[in-house]
Amino acid sequence: MNTEKQEINLVELASGKQEVNTDENDFSSQVKDQRPDPPVRGESVLRVIDRWFHQLDRLVERYIPQNLNPFTQSGAIANTTFIIALVSGFVLLFWYKPSVHQAYSSLDQISPLGDFFRSLHRYSSDACMLFIMFHAFKMFFARRFSGARWLAWVTGIVALALLWFDGWLGYWLVWDEAANQVAVGTAKMLDQLPIFAEPLSRSFLTDDSFDSLLFFLVFFFHMLIPLAMGIALWLHVSRLNKAHFITKKPMTIAVLGSLGVLSAALPAGLAKPAKMLEIQQTMPLDYFYMLPMYFTDRLEGGALWAITLIGFIAFVSVPWVLVKKRRPKPQVDADRCNGCEQCYKDCPFNAITMLPRAEDDKKRGDFYASIDPSKCIACGICVGSCDPVGIEFPRLPAMDVRREIDSWLHERLEEESSVDVAYICSNSAGADLHIDEATGRCKELPGYIVRSIPCVGWVHPLMIERALRKGAEGVLIVGCQSEPDYRLGAMWTEERISGGRHPELRNEKVDSSRIHYLQYDRTDYDGFIKEARELQRNTSKFTLKQDESSSTKMKKYIMGAFLVLMLSSLTYFFSNAPYSVPIQNDSELVVSFTMPGRPVDSSVKKESEQQNLQSHMQSRNAPAKRERSDVRLRIDVDGETVHEQKYEPSGLYNDGMSGAVEYIPLKAGAHTVEVYLGDTTSEEWLYTDQKKVVFKDNHRSVIKFNRADGFQWYPKSQE
């Protein structure tokens, strides 16, 4: 290879001090223009943050083995920790008693082995949430939600919501002071729905008011939701070929070992037992699942529903709201297809099926390939699999590219003594290269003919052989690194070049030392440029990834252990972080009632309306609509009215009970409390009661009323 090629100083090139044939060539196109993913709104911002994720991967893989990088396996780690949480949860049932009266004591007095499994259950659940959130954000900023990927995105959001809800319910089952706050926040939202005869919040006012049946129902749903999660996760990966649902052995050992050590060294603690009449101030909180408590403690039920529904709809609708337009999808030319099934095996997204040919059309085989456009993301990997060039790729036809490379080589070799051909992935470090689409010249790599491609898997080995036969000094293929955008393309390409996968490179036909396969993600532009130019000067440099020395591997495994320690510390910290409950006053008065208003009759048609009708149209017995009147509540403290309000009856026809739970902050000390209840059919109060109550610091006094039991004052010593 000619070692006296023109050198380009990258700094000068970036500053405009040195240019390469800018007058003769149009370098307005870039390699990234060939990306198969459709453009999305806000792409520039998403791309910047996506770059941060790639930089994190580069930083981690500089110090630890690639197969132990947790950030490139976040989805598989989330699934693995989910399975660990599932198994440890079932084992925990040997000690746990699902009763509101025994739940806390069964965990407080658990054996050391049971405490280990309880801690393992909690920390694995936390790790699952940590990695599924990381995975969701990474996929979002990588824009992997468009086109056929919508199903994976939607089912991922559903799985995330189910995971959170299952963890939220799981904290009920501990029945400590944090569980009390969870229950009250949940009841606040459910009370907005017309599905309960009386406010659910009444069940969490006193220690003896919580229904054991409701507690068991929460336990039942906590056990059932993982089944729904399993269905969502199956749909999540259903369109992936060779999906890594769980981690491989080295990472599984690392995950299970780190969680086991964390569970043994720092067992998950318990907060104080739930006391309904105490006002919680501070408590340890698992922020992975209980962060919404910040909102349930501060907002009303209607606002909570609005935030929940708007947020869920916004995330689910991302594939349709952000995507601007769709890309054309490849098609199979059935007349050229020989039914070899290689494209069917290589497609990363299971978008290709083999269909039987008609009896009179079996000259080229019994089957032919067919691409499902609803599953295809137009990555082009099938093009690189097809020997007879039977796949029509609208944006980059393979036959046109072959003729194009032939023409460019012919023109360049008439001007220069040697030239190299580069096939560069549109998502690799070469994405920002400036190229002339008419000549294949590249502003940053003047010694190359550059052809931008959607994925390195698009390159068929015959294209490499053809370029060398037509006079190219060498062929460079540049793909993604760590976590390729189109999953299997980089791996298939490496196997084809090394002869391990069909269609393989025929080493007996070409000099393999003239073929270079590099993997650089888009954050390592300078490293890619440096090596690409170095390869032009040194043809003896090995083309594929080389194995590391044993000492280097050992250092990386040590750094991997350090990273595991850091992630374990992060999991523990957010699993036991302090939380302060918003407190308005030292103590609190709570008044709750359920009471039916008196029935009110209203005719469907007024008498005047009846008289205006002809005699045969008048209703002799107009049906009456039975409704109930509103209920009035007034609360006086020390002779002053602190609350007065009317409450509508429940039910679709306003014929049910009226009910409410009112919280009134008071200062600690003795207060005279008077409660009045009536309805709007008269001015009189139907039920009244009065007591002098001593309010204690950080405690609440509760007054409950129903017609069967009358007024009940808590604590009982107040009665």
Side-chain angles (χ1 to χ4, degrees):
M1 182 178 291
N2 185 3
T3 60
E4 298 180 355
K5 293 183 182 290
Q6 179 184 4
E7 295 285 330
I8 298 178
N9 186 294
L10 295 179
V11 176
E12 293 182 356
L13 182 62
S15 62
K17 295 179 180 179
Q18 183 172 350
E19 298 182 354
V20 182
N21 297 328
T22 55
D23 295 333
E24 300 177 6
N25 296 276
D26 178 12
F27 293 117
S28 59
S29 298
Q30 290 185 281
V31 171
K32 62 185 177 185
D33 297 338
Q34 195 58 244
R35 284 176 180 157
D37 290 329
V40 300
R41 294 176 176 84
E43 185 164 358
S44 58
V45 176
L46 297 179
R47 193 176 298 169
V48 169
I49 301 177
D50 180 40
R51 186 180 180 87
W52 296 346
F53 281 102
H54 282 285
Q55 289 173 337
L56 176 63
D57 290 339
R58 278 187 60 203
L59 177 65
V60 169
E61 291 178 7
R62 186 182 303 171
Y63 300 106
I64 71 171
Q66 184 174 342
N67 66 334
L68 289 181
N69 182 358
F71 303 120
T72 59
Q73 305 176 59
S74 53
I77 293 177
N79 293 335
T80 301
T81 52
F82 171 69
I83 293 173
I84 295 173
L86 195 64
V87 173
S88 58
F90 277 110
V91 174
L92 187 59
L93 292 177
F94 285 106
W95 295 274
Y96 178 74
K97 296 179 180 179
S99 165
V100 66
H101 304 294
Q102 297 177 298
Y104 185 87
S105 60
S106 68
L107 296 176
D108 188 41
Q109 302 170 12
I110 199 169
S111 67
L113 180 61
D115 196 34
F116 171 81
F117 278 103
R118 186 180 75 85
S119 301
L120 182 62
H121 181 65
R122 175 166 170 176
Y123 291 139
S124 58
S125 301
D126 290 339
C128 183
M129 177 59 74
L130 173 65
F131 280 99
I132 200 172
M133 288 291 293
F134 181 88
H135 182 69
F137 279 112
K138 190 172 188 179
M139 295 301 102
F140 175 75
F141 291 114
R143 306 173 299 286
R144 298 189 191 180
F145 49 73
S146 60
R149 286 168 164 165
W150 72 266
L151 180 63
W153 175 263
V154 171
T155 54
I157 295 298
V158 171
L160 174 59
L162 289 172
L163 174 66
W164 169 81
F165 187 56
D166 198 39
W168 179 263
L169 292 182
Y171 275 99
W172 279 52
L173 303 178
V174 181
W175 205 236
D176 56 6
E177 56 185 1
N180 182 13
Q181 294 297 109
V182 169
V184 171
T186 305
K188 185 186 293 187
M189 292 188 67
L190 292 179
D191 282 343
Q192 300 295 312
L193 305 177
I195 57 177
F196 296 102
E198 61 179 56
L200 187 62
S201 301
R202 285 173 56 87
S203 300
F204 308 109
L205 297 179
T206 62
D207 292 334
D208 59 357
S209 62
F210 190 11
D211 189 354
S212 296
L213 180 60
L214 177 60
F215 190 86
F216 184 80
L217 189 63
V218 171
F219 172 76
F220 175 77
F221 276 107
H222 181 67
M223 300 292 289
L224 187 64
I225 288 175
L227 177 61
M229 276 194 65
I231 296 173
L233 291 174
W234 173 74
L235 290 172
H236 185 67
V237 300
S238 62
R239 290 187 173 182
L240 300 182
N241 182 15
K242 296 185 179 298
H244 297 300
F245 185 77
I246 60 174
T247 53
K248 294 183 179 180
K249 185 176 179 180
M251 181 58 78
T252 302
I253 294 174
V255 170
L256 188 57
S258 60
L259 290 174
V261 171
L262 180 62
S263 301
L266 298 170
L270 281 173
K272 298 177 182 178
K275 298 293 184 182
M276 300 295 190
L277 296 181
E278 292 184 5
I279 300 176
Q280 287 79 21
Q281 292 181 319
T282 60
M283 66 187 76
L285 207 65
D286 186 346
Y287 279 83
F288 289 108
Y289 292 94
M290 302 176 75
L291 180 62
M293 188 185 294
Y294 181 88
F295 300 99
T296 58
D297 282 348
R298 291 164 174 82
L299 300 178
E300 296 301 322
L304 293 171
W305 274 114
I307 293 173
T308 301
L309 294 177
I310 292 174
F312 183 77
I313 293 172
F315 280 113
V316 168
S317 62
V318 161
W320 297 275
V321 173
L322 293 188
V323 176
K324 292 182 179 180
K325 60 181 180 180
R326 308 294 176 182
R327 300 288 197 194
K329 303 299 176 64
Q331 296 179 336
V332 175
D333 184 349
D335 293 335
R336 298 181 68 95
C337 178
N338 60 13
C340 69
E341 299 187 5
Q342 193 61 45
C343 61
Y344 165 76
K345 297 174 183 177
D346 285 359
C347 179
F349 300 97
N350 288 330
I352 299 178
T353 54
M354 302 303 297
L355 301 178
R357 290 184 183 271
E359 289 297 328
D360 58 350
D361 186 31
K362 291 192 175 183
K363 294 181 180 180
R364 298 188 61 83
D366 295 333
F367 298 90
Y368 70 96
S370 176
I371 298 175
D372 184 349
S374 67
K375 296 181 179 180
C376 177
I377 65 168
C379 62
I381 293 175
C382 54
V383 176
S385 303
C386 188
D387 283 336
V389 198
I391 296 179
E392 300 173 357
F393 198 76
R395 299 184 64 222
L396 198 64
M399 294 300 294
D400 291 353
V401 172
R402 292 184 184 185
R403 289 189 289 267
E404 180 183 69
I405 296 295
D406 291 350
S407 174
W408 290 348
L409 277 170
H410 178 73
E411 293 175 1
R412 292 284 293 275
L413 289 174
E414 287 185 347
E415 303 172 2
E416 306 172 28
S417 59
S418 66
V419 66
D420 292 79
V421 173
Y423 293 100
I424 300 181
C425 169
S426 58
N427 287 293
S428 68
D432 293 323
L433 293 179
H434 295 80
I435 57 176
D436 183 350
E437 287 283 357
T439 64
R441 293 181 183 272
C442 177
K443 184 177 181 181
E444 294 83 357
L445 295 174
Y448 282 92
I449 288 174
V450 174
R451 174 69 264 178
S452 59
I453 54 177
C455 172
V456 289
W458 179 92
V459 180
H460 192 285
L462 286 178
M463 285 190 172
I464 301 173
E465 297 178 19
R466 185 184 183 93
L468 293 174
R469 288 200 307 268
K470 293 294 182 178
E473 187 72 18
V475 176
L476 173 66
I477 305 102
V478 182
C480 310
Q481 190 177 16
S482 297
E483 198 173 12
D485 285 68
Y486 306 112
R487 301 185 61 247
L488 304 176
M491 182 171 67
W492 290 164
T493 300
E494 184 172 352
E495 291 183 8
R496 291 169 187 169
I497 293 175
S498 62
R501 187 176 188 84
H502 184 81
E504 65 275 359
L505 182 71
R506 297 177 297 180
N507 291 318
E508 70 277 7
K509 299 287 186 179
V510 294
D511 181 3
S512 60
S513 66
R514 297 164 62 191
I515 302 167
H516 312 283
Y517 176 52
L518 307 178
Q519 286 183 267
Y520 280 94
D521 67 52
R522 66 199 68 168
T523 64
D524 197 7
Y525 174 81
D526 290 343
F528 153 66
I529 291 290
K530 180 180 179 181
E531 185 162 4
R533 294 173 59 224
E534 177 66 26
L535 287 172
Q536 282 188 298
R537 295 192 297 266
N538 183 10
T539 58
S540 63
K541 189 165 183 176
F542 191 61
T543 59
L544 299 179
K545 295 179 290 186
Q546 302 186 46
D547 293 333
E548 298 173 331
S549 65
S550 57
S551 60
T552 302
K553 284 185 177 180
M554 181 57 65
K555 291 178 182 178
K556 287 194 170 186
Y557 276 105
I558 293 173
M559 293 303 298
F562 178 74
L563 179 61
V564 167
L565 177 62
M566 295 296 294
L567 290 174
S568 299
S569 301
L570 183 69
T571 302
Y572 177 78
F573 174 78
F574 284 104
S575 181
N576 297 274
Y579 172 75
S580 297
V581 178
I583 301 174
Q584 301 295 327
N585 286 79
D586 297 335
S587 57
E588 200 171 48
L589 170 65
V590 182
V591 179
S592 174
F593 74 90
T594 56
M595 172 180 163
R598 282 181 284 197
V600 178
D601 293 341
S602 59
S603 299
V604 175
K605 296 182 179 179
K606 296 181 180 179
E607 184 178 352
S608 59
E609 294 176 343
Q610 291 282 327
Q611 293 175 352
N612 292 331
L613 298 175
Q614 298 181 10
S615 59
H616 69 278
M617 297 178 63
Q618 294 181 4
S619 176
R620 298 292 184 268
N621 297 302
K625 183 179 179 182
R626 303 287 293 182
E627 295 182 349
R628 293 189 179 275
S629 61
D630 296 343
V631 172
R632 296 177 296 139
L633 169 67
R634 193 180 89 189
I635 304 171
D636 291 353
V637 177
D638 297 331
E640 294 185 6
T641 300
V642 295
H643 181 84
E644 186 168 8
Q645 186 176 340
K646 293 191 299 184
Y647 301 89
E648 295 181 352
S650 61
L652 297 176
Y653 302 102
N654 293 329
D655 58 351
M657 293 273 195
S658 294
V661 179
E662 298 294 345
Y663 296 85
I664 301 170
L666 294 175
K667 292 186 178 296
H671 297 279
T672 300
V673 179
E674 302 170 78
V675 183
Y676 302 86
L677 279 168
D679 57 30
T680 54
T681 58
S682 67
E683 295 296 326
E684 65 175 326
W685 297 105
L686 301 178
Y687 305 95
T688 64
D689 203 357
Q690 171 184 331
K691 287 190 183 298
K692 188 170 185 178
V693 180
V694 177
F695 288 83
K696 299 179 181 179
D697 286 335
N698 302 322
H699 282 71
R700 57 174 62 95
S701 293
V702 177
I703 305 172
K704 297 173 65 177
F705 174 85
N706 61 65
R707 289 202 305 181
D709 301 321
F711 287 97
Q712 295 176 294
W713 297 68
Y714 298 87
K716 291 292 186 179
S717 59
Q718 304 287 0
E719 295 187 333

